[in-house]
Amino acid sequence: MQVKRFFAADMRQAMKLVRDELGADAAIIGNRRIAGGVELTAALDYKLSALAPRVPNMELEDELRKTQSRIATAQAELSLRGEGESDKTTNRQLFAGLPLTAAEPLIEPTLAEPRRPAPAPVAAAGLDPRAFDSMRFELNSLRELMEVQLGSLAWNQLQGSRPAQANLWRRLQRIGLSGPLSRDLLALITDIEEPRQAWRMLLAHLARMIATPEVEPLEEGGVIAMVGPAGMGKTTTLAKLAARYVLKYGAQNIALVSMDSYRIGAQEQLKTLGRILNVSVTHVDPGQSLVQALEPLLRKRVVLIDTAGLQASDPALRMQLESLAGRGIKSKNYLVLATTSQKQVLTAAYHSYKRCGLAGCILTKLDETASLGEVLSLAISHELPVAYLTDGPRIPDDLHLPRRHQLVSRAVSVQMQEEPSEEAMADMFADIYHSPTKQVG
């Protein structure tokens, strides 16, 4: 028997290490939380001895016995108080200690049955917080283990029972689409058996799922803000939008605003752009009212705002987003997403900036990306219309309006050349089991 310990940041990465090192037949015989992640103990050719004694967790069992005793006491006291009482609201008040509403009659206690203090809620019975943390960790570990195992089992069963559909799953994974989105797409073509037609219909449904604005944001006008983390291409995108508008309508009815006082050279970059385009540039310092800064610019047909790319934990980011979400501004905020970013980065960007209200997204660096599936999955799952695409440094030549079928064709053209591994497919199915709707195949 071969026994080995594995260390990783989370349970899923630890399980991947176990599979890579010991194979799919390895058995997990122990897990515990450590500083910076988890530790798994796995064994190959492990046989559980029937005579092996079970080592009880005395501290946990003692806490469970105390909790069961408290529950029994509370139920007995409730039963005594409920004798002879028909009012449902009185029982609720006695058990939960909740005040009666104005619409509920107040029932005074009688002399024959003196009022007793309400029992304390079981959840606040004084259990050791460390025991709760330990149980929570154990439950989360078991859930992740089950997700990984169920994902692997579901994928193996699908390959054996429906090989044609398994091939479609692989092709969608090569594009980079998320598991839940792939599942939804495949559910739309269950009645199509011919593989080529099924693939064409999959791509057609994918194109229909991509939302685009009915009117180009520049044509619609108003205050338009570029938001997103650093390095996504906000300033360059703003420059392309400004140049596109000036070439079409002139420089009289457009203004630029910079809220980026943190990045070195950010304001000088916009000043240079303003001089080239003959467009006014306004700088808004931290703490300055954005409403007051925009008031002289309201006569402009288009106002483009460049924001600072700040970390999610930075308090200045919250202030910046609250300014953009203010009622007096009516800003249309577009999340700028670099298609070269990892899935986790894209997801974190959306959750950090959604609080300001997002009108859509702008996809940048399409000329550098190796996969479009991740960013398309994010846009579709969160219903973000794709407003513009950029695929190069030229201003404004490399700014384009999105065409849904062309975007899908581009996603297919930059897909991975090699087939996804069995571990990658199992992980994708595990993600599906982690999502609210857990139907596969």
Side-chain angles (χ1 to χ4, degrees):
M1 180 177 67
Q2 181 182 358
V3 180
K4 192 170 182 179
R5 291 189 299 173
F6 299 86
F7 304 92
D10 55 37
M11 188 61 65
R12 185 163 297 177
Q13 295 182 26
M15 286 294 298
K16 187 177 187 305
L17 293 176
V18 172
R19 287 200 303 263
D20 295 342
E21 183 76 17
L22 300 180
D25 297 330
I28 306 299
I29 60 177
N31 69 85
R32 67 187 184 95
R33 181 172 49 185
I34 60 174
V38 296
E39 174 191 313
L40 276 188
T41 304
L44 195 59
D45 300 328
Y46 175 76
K47 295 182 179 179
L48 182 65
S49 174
L51 300 178
R54 175 180 174 268
V55 181
N57 187 334
M58 301 303 298
E59 181 181 355
L60 184 58
E61 291 187 0
D62 184 51
E63 294 293 345
L64 290 175
R65 282 195 296 270
K66 291 180 181 178
T67 302
Q68 291 172 351
S69 176
R70 293 188 186 98
I71 294 174
T73 302
Q75 289 177 342
E77 189 169 356
L78 176 64
S79 177
L80 288 174
R81 295 179 180 184
E83 293 179 359
E85 295 182 358
S86 60
D87 194 336
K88 184 178 179 180
T89 59
T90 305
N91 286 340
R92 179 165 63 89
Q93 183 194 26
L94 289 174
F95 179 70
L98 297 175
L100 290 170
T101 63
E104 296 171 341
L106 177 63
I107 301 178
E108 297 290 341
T110 62
L111 294 176
E113 186 179 355
R115 189 182 185 90
R116 299 188 182 95
V122 178
L127 293 180
D128 188 357
R130 291 175 298 179
F132 277 120
D133 292 339
S134 177
M135 287 189 291
R136 187 182 298 110
F137 171 74
E138 293 292 337
L139 290 173
N140 289 336
S141 300
L142 287 173
R143 185 192 66 185
E144 292 181 1
L145 284 171
M146 290 181 63
E147 288 173 358
V148 173
Q149 296 295 335
L150 286 173
S152 179
L153 178 63
W155 170 241
N156 291 332
Q157 288 179 345
L158 182 65
Q159 289 188 97
S161 61
R162 306 177 70 178
Q165 192 177 56
N167 183 54
L168 293 176
W169 275 100
R170 289 193 189 92
R171 297 184 72 174
L172 292 176
Q173 177 69 3
R174 287 175 62 186
I175 295 178
L177 297 182
S178 66
L181 178 58
S182 300
R183 174 199 60 211
D184 295 341
L185 285 170
L186 287 165
L188 299 174
I189 58 156
T190 53
D191 56 340
I192 302 178
E193 297 182 359
E194 204 280 317
R196 291 185 179 180
Q197 183 183 2
W199 178 243
R200 289 195 297 268
M201 290 304 299
L202 271 179
L203 298 182
H205 285 300
L206 176 60
R208 294 190 188 101
M209 289 181 175
I210 301 173
T212 57
E214 296 182 1
V215 180
E216 180 186 352
L218 283 179
E219 297 289 341
E220 190 175 8
V223 179
I224 301 173
M226 308 289 111
V227 300
M232 293 291 180
K234 296 187 297 297
T235 305
T236 305
T237 301
L238 181 141
K240 293 175 181 177
L241 290 171
R244 178 186 179 92
Y245 185 89
V246 170
L247 289 175
K248 191 171 184 179
Y249 297 107
Q252 294 78 20
N253 291 316
I254 184 172
L256 307 181
V257 176
S258 174
M259 298 179 66
D260 190 354
S261 301
Y262 305 90
R263 186 166 55 92
I264 297 176
Q267 294 186 359
E268 290 299 325
Q269 198 172 358
L270 270 193
K271 283 182 180 178
T272 303
L273 176 65
R275 285 195 300 267
I276 294 174
L277 299 179
N278 194 25
V279 172
S280 64
V281 179
T282 302
H283 299 286
V284 181
D285 295 324
Q288 182 181 355
S289 172
L290 182 59
V291 176
Q292 294 179 0
L294 292 179
E295 188 174 354
L297 306 176
L298 293 180
R299 65 181 184 276
K300 302 289 186 180
R301 187 170 181 270
V302 173
V303 177
L304 299 178
I305 301 179
D306 185 26
T307 62
L310 302 172
Q311 296 182 356
S313 58
D314 195 329
L317 175 62
R318 179 181 58 82
M319 296 175 58
Q320 180 176 263
L321 297 182
E322 288 177 353
S323 297
L324 293 172
R327 294 182 178 179
I329 297 176
K330 298 181 180 179
S331 171
K332 290 172 289 187
N333 307 314
Y334 288 90
L335 180 62
V336 181
L337 298 173
T339 56
T340 54
S341 301
Q342 297 178 343
K343 173 185 175 182
Q344 294 84 350
V345 176
L346 297 171
T347 304
Y350 169 77
H351 288 291
S352 296
Y353 287 88
K354 67 179 181 180
R355 71 186 77 172
C356 67
L358 297 174
C361 62
I362 298 175
L363 308 185
T364 64
K365 303 182 182 181
L366 271 74
D367 56 319
E368 303 175 17
T369 187
S371 174
L372 282 175
E374 291 81 4
V375 72
L376 290 181
S377 298
L378 177 74
I380 293 172
S381 61
H382 296 295
E383 299 179 352
L384 286 177
V386 181
Y388 292 99
L389 309 173
T390 71
D391 58 0
R394 295 178 300 172
I395 299 175
D397 298 337
D398 293 329
L399 178 74
H400 312 284
L401 294 175
R403 299 289 183 266
R404 295 183 294 182
H405 287 83
Q406 292 179 1
L407 192 55
V408 171
S409 298
R410 193 160 190 165
V412 174
S413 66
V414 298
Q415 65 182 335
M416 295 186 300
Q417 297 303 317
E418 66 276 3
E419 288 290 334
S421 64
E422 296 298 302
E423 289 80 6
M425 298 304 301
D427 286 343
M428 183 176 70
F429 272 63
D431 288 336
I432 295 175
Y433 277 95
H434 185 67
S435 64
T437 306
K438 302 174 183 176
Q439 298 177 354
V440 181

